[in-house]
């Protein structure tokens, strides 16, 4: 049904090059397709507040090294990989923010013995920038086991992370590589807790490099605002 609809319309906006390739292989004209990744409300996430101010607002400990994931607790998001990596990072507090009540209960029950894990209920979206700003490292641990994660997603979480000005550790996946590279993130093998812990630890240890990457990440986020995305789509419409 989706394929039939795509063939009937004049233009189609997709969020990754892998999705574009998917439709082309199913007979959709390449000229009909525009790749426009998801984006971010940059000013909302590029806060001027310090990490200490953000922690005072969110109630997170000032003296901890905080590794953070913010979002749903679905398996394809790789949250279990990050939870297992937490066992290898006794020096850090690994904070998960979000998830449905059911998923959070399941996740908490599974990892309740991990003393370095803290699970925080879903917060109002306006508060998420303050949580991100409070972290020492932000993690995007998506799995490689599902095409939705490895090829077809364009996580808004990624752009919010980039805009926050905090160091980012991400799974080394084609879907994420479409937006970021080593200049602005540290990569880890997907679904590998040991390598994820290695990447997080290296980001914590090398503050100079991490700060440099965080500044580069913000510059990328500035190019991926919703306004810029809208202009790109409108240009496509004008040419149709």
């Amino acid at each position: 049904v989706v394929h039939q609809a795509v063939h009937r319309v004049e233009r189609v906006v997709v969020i990754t090059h892998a999705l574009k390739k998917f439709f082309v292989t199913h007979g959709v004209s390449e000229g009909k397709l525009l790749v426009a990744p998801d984006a971010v409300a940059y000013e909302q996430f590029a806060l001027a507040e310090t990490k200490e101010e953000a922690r005072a607002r969110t109630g997170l400990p000032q003296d901890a090294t905080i590794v953070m994931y913010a979002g749903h607790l679905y398996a394809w998001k790789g949250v279990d990989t990050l939870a297992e990596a937490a066992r290898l990072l006794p020096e850090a507090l690994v904070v998960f923010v979000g998830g449905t009540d059911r998923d959070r209960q399941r996740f908490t029950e599974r990892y309740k013995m991990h003393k370095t894990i803290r699970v925080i209920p879903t917060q109002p979206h306006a508060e998420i920038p303050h949580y991100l700003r409070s972290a020492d490292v932000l993690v995007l641990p998506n799995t490689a086991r599902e095409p939705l994660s490895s090829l077809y997603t364009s996580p808004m979480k990624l752009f919010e992370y980039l805009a926050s000005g905090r160091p980012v550790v991400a799974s080394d996946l084609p879907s994420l590589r479409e937006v970021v590279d080593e200049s602005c993130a540290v990569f880890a093998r997907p679904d590998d807790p040991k390598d994820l812990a290695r990447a997080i630890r290296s980001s914590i240890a090398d503050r100079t490099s991490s700060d440099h990457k965080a500044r580069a990440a913000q510059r990328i986020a500035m190019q991926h605002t919703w306004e810029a995305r809208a202009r790109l789509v409108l240009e496509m419409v004008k040419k149709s």
Side-chain angles (χ1 to χ4, degrees):
V1 175
V2 173
H3 298 168
Q4 293 174 356
V6 169
H7 283 291
R8 290 172 182 168
V9 300
E10 292 187 9
R11 293 289 187 269
V12 179
V13 179
V14 295
I15 56 175
T16 68
H17 287 277
L19 274 174
K20 178 178 179 179
K21 182 178 179 180
F22 171 84
F23 283 118
V24 169
T25 60
H26 285 79
V28 178
S29 169
E30 186 171 355
K32 180 184 285 191
L33 298 161
L34 169 68
V35 178
D38 278 326
V40 64
Y42 179 81
E43 293 79 8
Q44 183 179 352
F45 285 85
L47 301 179
E49 73 180 351
T50 65
K51 180 175 68 176
E52 292 73 22
E53 290 169 340
R55 291 187 181 187
R57 179 179 179 124
T58 58
L60 291 169
Q62 294 286 355
D63 58 349
T65 298
I66 295 178
V67 175
M68 184 176 291
Y69 167 89
H72 275 292
L73 300 175
Y74 304 142
W76 70 270
K77 296 287 190 178
V79 291
D80 294 291
T81 302
L82 178 55
E84 291 300 328
R87 295 189 304 134
L88 308 174
L89 296 165
E91 70 276 22
L93 176 64
V94 181
V95 178
F96 294 81
V97 183
T100 64
D101 291 343
R102 181 178 180 180
D103 287 342
R104 195 165 57 253
Q105 182 178 3
R106 171 198 63 80
F107 189 82
T108 301
E109 182 66 24
R110 179 176 294 179
Y111 298 109
K112 64 183 178 182
M113 299 305 293
H114 291 24
K115 303 302 183 184
T116 59
I117 289 179
R118 181 178 298 183
V119 182
I120 296 174
T122 299
Q123 300 295 306
H125 192 254
E127 290 301 311
I128 296 301
H130 303 284
Y131 277 91
L132 300 186
R133 190 65 181 163
S134 71
D136 291 289
V137 179
L138 298 170
V139 184
L140 197 70
N142 281 38
T143 182
R145 294 172 180 152
E146 297 187 31
L148 174 63
S149 171
S150 62
L151 296 173
Y152 302 135
T153 186
S154 180
M156 283 185 281
K157 181 188 347 299
L158 172 60
F159 299 99
E160 293 171 355
Y161 280 11
L162 298 176
S164 73
R166 308 309 297 149
V168 175
V169 171
S171 293
D172 196 348
L173 296 171
S175 58
L176 305 184
R177 284 277 189 176
E178 288 195 16
V179 178
V180 294
D181 58 21
E182 285 83 1
S183 71
C184 58
V186 174
F187 289 98
R189 287 191 297 273
D191 309 301
D192 185 337
K194 185 176 180 179
D195 197 58
L196 183 57
R198 185 271 315 162
I200 292 169
R201 190 174 289 114
S202 70
S203 185
I204 293 170
D206 192 344
R207 296 288 185 180
T208 300
S209 175
S210 293
D211 289 345
H212 179 78
K213 290 177 186 290
R215 289 192 292 272
Q218 280 196 312
R219 290 194 291 271
I220 290 174
M222 291 176 68
Q223 300 170 17
H224 287 279
T225 64
W226 292 113
E227 291 81 2
R229 188 177 192 271
R231 287 195 295 270
L232 181 64
V233 173
L234 286 172
E235 284 300 316
M236 179 189 188
V237 172
K238 290 178 182 178
K239 293 177 181 179
S240 62

